[in-house]
Amino acid sequence: MQRDGHKGNNDDDGTVPPPKNPFIQKNAVFTTFVVDSAVNFDGYLEDFLKAEGHYILRAKTAAEALAMTRQHWPDLILLDKEMDGANGLSFFTELLIAHPSAAVVMMATKPSVSEAVDAMILGAVDYLERPLDTKRLKKTIDIQRKLYDVL
């Protein structure tokens, strides 16, 4: 019996283990999902992410991104604000509903303060101007990897 008198999944010392969170699924390799219709992915971003040891997924449309997110559960999502056929900021909420534990970094060619604030209110972990500053991106990724290891 637990201290509160209820039967439960207690260990020998009377404590109850924390419940498993159904929204958190850890991958064997840190997985980064790039959702961007415009970037030439064969260039510096792919090289940078591979050098950092990431497994990389790629989607060019919102529909493709939703399908892949439900199938692969990425750890980090790099989301372009200026997507073909969809506004990345309005698509962001759909993406979080599909995968609430993913860390999302918004990217924008023409960033604005109000859009950056909106993205952060929705739950983005960062809002980066393009072309991407790899030092800042690395810092953001390092923070997310540390949080990933804690979970």
Side-chain angles (χ1 to χ4, degrees), residues 3 12 21 31 52 59 61 67 76 81 110 123 125 141 144:
R3 292 182 198 163
D12 293 336
N21 188 335
T31 303
E52 291 292 311
T61 66
L76 178 70
K81 183 187 75 76
K110 299 174 185 171
V125 297
I141 290 171
Q144 295 311 308

Side-chain angles (χ1 to χ4, degrees), residues 49-117:
L49 293 172
K50 282 183 178 178
E52 291 292 311
H54 295 240
Y55 178 72
I56 305 165
L57 300 170
R58 172 108 165 89
K60 293 185 177 188
T61 66
E64 185 181 12
L66 276 177
M68 289 183 73
T69 299
R70 290 182 180 124
Q71 182 179 7
H72 295 285
W73 283 72
D75 305 304
L76 178 70
I77 300 172
L78 300 176
L79 178 62
D80 184 24
K81 183 187 75 76
E82 298 101 5
M83 294 175 54
D84 288 343
N87 178 322
L89 197 55
S90 57
F91 171 64
F92 180 52
T93 53
E94 291 180 60
L95 205 53
L96 280 182
I97 290 169
H99 186 22
S101 68
V104 179
V105 174
M106 292 291 297
M107 304 178 295
T109 303
K110 299 174 185 171
S112 75
V113 173
S114 64
E115 288 176 341
V117 170

